[in-house]
Every structure is written in structure tokens, then in C-alpha cells.
Amino acid sequence: MTVKHLRGLLLLPLALLLGGCHLVLLSPSGDVARQQSDVMIITTIIIALIIVPVLIAIGVIAWRYRSSNEKVRHDPEWDHSPQLELVVWAAPVLIIIIVGAISWIGTHQLDPYRSLTRVAPGKPVAADTKPLEVEVVSLRWKWLFFYPQYGIATVNQLAAPVNVPIKFKLTSDTMMDSFFVPALAGQIYTMPGMQTMLHAVINKPGQYKGFSANYSGAGFTDMRFSFDGMNPQDFKDWVAKVRAQGTDLDRSAYDQLRQPDRNAPVHYYAHFESGLYTRILNRCVDPGQVCASQMMSADAKAGHAMQGMPAPTDHVDAPSSGNAAAPAQAAKTH
């Protein structure tokens, strides 16, 4: 058996595997992810306009000027061609300019901190539309989701109605992680004491995979959750289900939840303690801890003494239904 035949047999399983898999990044169900996919595909095609001809030219030149080809004309004194130099330099420069422009525009239009202006092609966001707010906390090794507009929270299950903008606020309890639902939008990091933001929308009902895309220890591979895109009525029923089956998430329950745990099951909380997400973000969940916002406030006042500051539970202001936006420094991730 020749080397050529052996190579073909080795590549056959790979070709079959790729032919049967579903590349969600190339066929997402969310408008933001779709636009990101379009940018990726367009730039790849444009770059291929220079790579493919170069690869073809290499093969043609190697074949045409092989040592056994005595019919081809050889010019040992040749050293320059203005026409060839123009093609060699102008084409790559033009492609770089085009790819750079597309990437710059796409990066700014798809900024994760930027509010959505549309939910689908040709469907702008109505002026009176309120986005679904979700506050995300990455734990070891599970995900905690707060719904401040509904006063509920869940573990390892995220749900949202289709064609409704989603506004994520994200932080972490102890370790740096990366929130990623490939069908929804690009990944964004979560970091202790810092808050990132992500705006997205899901356009098709279904159950999608979410996970951490950043290594954070032994349980990293189990840090997965389901994201359910639902019709509006199904989402209302889901909220009612969480309220009916959920327990209370207070500080004591959170202390148990934050303990390292692999393969954590889905859990519902019908109520959560007011301001809990804000205290997680400001790293003052435990009694007696000084919130990061308090320390920054003291630093802004020329480093006045910390004595006499109110207890964290008295300092944090939050609405009764959930949490207020935290004053901690935001960290922006592209």
C-alpha cells in the first residue's frame, strides 16, 4: 500500500466525523452570534482570496519549473518585474484594509456592552421594550443566575423568551471563568470583584449548551448549564414553576452553594436575599466584611479611615425584587 493510499485511509474517519457534526458557531440561533458568525465567514473568504491563489501559484511554479522540464524558458539574469511587484504588494494591502475595516466595524457594532438595536434582521428593538435582566455568578463549579425582575434564581439552568433582548451582568465568586453559549453570543469573562456585561437575544425556541470556556480547576469540565429559549407563554410557565418548586436563597444557603461541587444538579430558588448579587460583586457576603465599593469610596475621599463605616448589610441598597447595579469597577472583555 502506497503512502498516498495510507494517508487517505487515515483522513477518512476525520472527514466522516466532520461531515456529521453540527457546527453551532456557523449556524447559531441568536442574532448576535449570527452577526459574529457572518463577520468570521466573510473575513475568512476574503483572506482566502489571497491564500488560495498563492497556494495554487506555488504548485504551478513548482511543476512548471521542475528540473525535468526542459521546454520552459529560463532567464538566469531576471531579478525584477514591476507588474509582479504590484500584484504581490497591492493585493495583500487591499485585503488587509478590507479585513481591517470589516473587523473594526463588526467589533464596535457587536460590543458586548452595547445595548441591542435589533432582535433579528429587519426587526429593530421597540422603544418600549424592556430587556430581560440576568445577573450571573460563576461558582466552583456551577453557575448561579439571578432574575431580579422576577425575584427568582436558578443553578445551572438559564431561560429566556425568544426575540427579547437579554442584558447580562456577570461576576465571579472566587475564580476567573468564561461565560459562553455558542448559539447565543460570544464568550465573556467573569472575574471576582469585577462586573462584565453582555447583551444578546435568542431567536429560536430550543435547548442550547452553555459552559465555562476558561480553565478554573478540577471541576472545570463539569461547569456546564442548559440555556432554554422559550416562547413567551412557556417562559411565564417556567417562572411560575421556579416559584412553586424553589427554596429560599439567603446568606446561609449561598455559603453552602459556593462550596466546590462537581456535576451540580439544576436547582430553583423562589426567593433570594435582597442585594445578594451586589454583595457577591463587592466581596462582602460574609458578616463584618467591608464592601469593595466602600473601600473605593474611602479612597476617593483621600483615604479617610475605614472605622465607623456601616456594616455591609446596612450599606448596600437594592430593590426588593432583586439587586441594583453594583458600583464596582467594570471590566470590559471583547
Side-chain angles (χ1 to χ4, degrees):
M1 180 179 293
T2 65
V3 175
K4 181 178 179 180
H5 292 155
L6 180 61
R7 186 185 300 117
L9 291 176
L10 292 175
L11 292 178
L12 180 60
L14 179 61
L16 294 175
L17 177 63
L18 292 177
C21 71
H22 179 65
L23 300 178
V24 65
L25 291 176
L26 300 180
S27 182
S29 299
D31 186 59
V32 174
R34 167 62 66 183
Q35 293 181 71
Q36 293 172 333
S37 175
D38 291 343
V39 171
M40 179 175 62
I41 293 173
I42 291 172
T43 54
T44 301
I45 292 174
I46 294 175
I47 292 173
L49 294 178
I50 189 64
I51 295 178
V52 172
V54 168
L55 294 177
I56 294 175
I58 291 174
V60 170
I61 292 174
W63 174 258
R64 178 178 175 80
Y65 294 99
R66 66 192 186 279
S67 60
S68 60
N69 187 3
E70 299 179 354
K71 297 181 179 179
V72 68
R73 177 177 175 271
H74 291 272
D75 186 0
E77 302 298 329
W78 182 91
D79 63 353
H80 180 71
S81 171
Q83 295 81 8
L84 185 60
E85 291 282 349
L86 180 63
V87 173
V88 168
W89 288 103
V93 168
L94 181 61
I95 288 177
I96 290 173
I97 293 174
I98 296 174
V99 171
I102 293 174
S103 300
W104 189 91
I105 295 172
T107 298
H108 284 77
Q109 288 182 340
L110 301 173
D111 187 335
Y113 281 56
R114 182 178 179 179
S115 299
L116 299 185
T117 58
R118 74 180 203 184
V119 295
K123 295 182 179 179
V125 177
D128 58 345
T129 299
K130 293 188 63 176
L132 173 67
E133 297 181 8
V134 182
E135 295 165 338
V136 182
V137 180
S138 61
L139 305 166
R140 292 185 300 172
W141 287 277
K142 60 186 80 73
W143 293 93
L144 174 61
F145 304 105
F146 292 97
Y147 288 80
Q149 294 160 312
Y150 298 93
I152 62 174
T154 62
V155 172
N156 283 349
Q157 185 180 34
L158 177 64
V162 296
N163 296 326
V164 174
I166 311 171
K167 180 180 180 180
F168 292 101
K169 296 179 181 179
L170 308 97
T171 190
S172 176
D173 180 64
T174 57
M175 303 183 70
M176 181 175 177
D177 291 293
S178 176
F179 176 84
F180 190 25
V181 182
L184 182 68
Q187 67 170 341
I188 190 161
Y189 287 104
T190 64
M191 291 164 278
M194 306 184 79
Q195 178 175 274
T196 51
M197 295 184 66
L198 175 67
H199 290 82
V201 63
I202 193 71
N203 300 118
K204 298 179 181 178
Q207 188 174 72
Y208 307 97
K209 295 180 179 180
F211 54 90
S212 173
N214 188 74
Y215 180 75
S216 58
F220 158 74
T221 54
D222 301 314
M223 197 169 175
R224 300 175 179 273
F225 63 94
S226 66
F227 171 62
D228 298 327
M230 301 178 175
N231 293 316
Q233 184 59 48
D234 292 336
F235 179 73
K236 291 180 180 179
D237 294 341
W238 178 81
V239 172
K241 175 183 175 182
V242 174
R243 287 173 174 165
Q245 300 180 7
T247 57
D248 290 338
L249 179 59
D250 54 16
R251 182 179 296 150
S252 176
Y254 178 73
D255 286 339
Q256 293 295 324
L257 184 62
R258 72 198 301 189
Q259 299 304 314
D261 185 18
R262 300 184 64 166
N263 291 314
V266 173
H267 191 82
Y268 297 148
Y269 296 98
H271 307 281
F272 59 86
E273 187 173 314
S274 178
L276 182 56
Y277 171 81
T278 305
R279 291 197 297 275
I280 296 171
L281 172 59
N282 282 282
R283 304 183 65 76
C284 55
V285 175
D286 298 329
Q289 288 182 316
V290 179
C291 292
S293 58
Q294 293 175 280
M295 290 188 286
M296 288 188 289
S297 177
D299 182 68
K301 296 176 181 178
H304 289 175
M306 301 291 290
Q307 290 84 357
M309 282 191 171
T313 54
D314 298 328
H315 174 77
V316 177
D317 296 324
S320 58
S321 62
N323 307 315
Q329 179 183 1
K332 189 172 181 180
T333 305
H334 291 282

